Amino acid sequence: MSAYMVSVGHIDVLISAGLRRGMSPLRWYDVPIEVAVANNDPVHSIAWHNEHSQELTVETADQVGAILLNENRESVNWRYDEEELEPIYQFRQTDTYPIPELLSAISGYEYQACEHLGWHLSQAKQFCDALRQRLCAEIRAEEGWSIDEARYLPGISMMDMIRRQK
């Protein structure tokens, strides 16, 4: 597998999507819950959540973008045995993109950033998971939770569908 540095613009799009989507700030944990549970951390306590909760706001956008770029750099460095450093990141707001493009941008970023062994425990992965969940929730809000039989069984009449439900 190969890896390359995504553009700063790519990071700007991910951060912009996280800032624009939803009413509350995008939140994630700096430690995966599964790891915390395996370590017998008190994940059910408010103190643990307060200590490990991270959030994306306008004030934290530079920091979160730097985390994403640094994780990508770590992946490239590990893959090609390099020791390059990333320049300072400064967030720039971008246009809105459709959800499918944003989901693709998350996947593209993850593909480039996942090469090194620490990826699965990283804040960058936790951020991507949180952003993906928020975008999927937005789709559910627009489309609903279930598939209507009329959409995938086009030859069935409405009366047949009513009979099937009985």
Side-chain angles (χ1 to χ4, degrees):
M1 197 162 107
S2 64
Y4 64 81
M5 288 301 299
V6 299
S7 69
V8 171
H10 193 115
I11 301 300
D12 289 335
V13 167
L14 295 177
I15 299 296
S16 294
L19 287 171
R20 268 200 220 84
R21 305 288 178 171
M23 298 299 284
S24 62
L26 184 66
R27 288 192 172 89
W28 65 95
Y29 295 109
D30 57 10
V31 176
I33 290 286
E34 301 81 18
V35 172
V37 168
N39 290 336
N40 293 318
D41 289 350
V43 296
H44 297 294
S45 73
I46 292 173
W48 188 91
H49 287 272
N50 289 340
E51 181 180 343
H52 294 283
S53 182
Q54 304 294 317
E55 70 178 31
L56 177 63
T57 64
V58 172
E59 293 77 25
T60 64
D62 290 345
Q63 177 188 359
V64 174
I67 288 169
L68 294 175
L69 274 177
N70 287 333
E71 197 69 31
N72 188 188
R73 173 52 67 194
E74 179 135 354
S75 178
V76 172
N77 283 348
W78 188 88
R79 180 72 177 105
Y80 298 110
D81 197 26
E82 297 175 350
E83 294 183 18
E84 299 292 320
L85 298 176
E86 217 27 62
I88 294 173
Y89 173 78
Q90 187 171 5
F91 170 66
R92 294 171 307 175
Q93 187 75 40
T94 66
D95 292 336
T96 303
Y97 287 83
I99 292 175
E101 288 183 45
L102 294 172
L103 291 170
S104 182
I106 294 168
S107 294
Y109 168 78
E110 289 173 324
Y111 191 83
Q112 301 311 320
C114 73
E115 287 286 331
H116 70 99
L117 300 176
W119 163 252
H120 292 287
L121 301 177
S122 72
Q123 272 201 65
K125 181 180 184 320
Q126 306 314 306
F127 170 86
C128 290
D129 289 348
L131 182 56
R132 182 179 286 111
Q133 287 173 0
R134 176 160 288 177
L135 295 171
C136 288
E138 195 169 317
I139 291 171
R140 283 191 306 272
E142 293 173 6
E143 300 296 327
W145 282 92
S146 60
I147 303 295
D148 182 2
E149 285 185 344
R151 289 177 65 189
Y152 74 91
L153 298 172
I156 295 179
S157 71
M158 190 58 80
M159 288 306 295
D160 288 338
M161 286 188 11
I162 292 169
R163 283 187 210 113
R164 291 179 104 192
Q165 292 175 355
K166 290 183 180 181

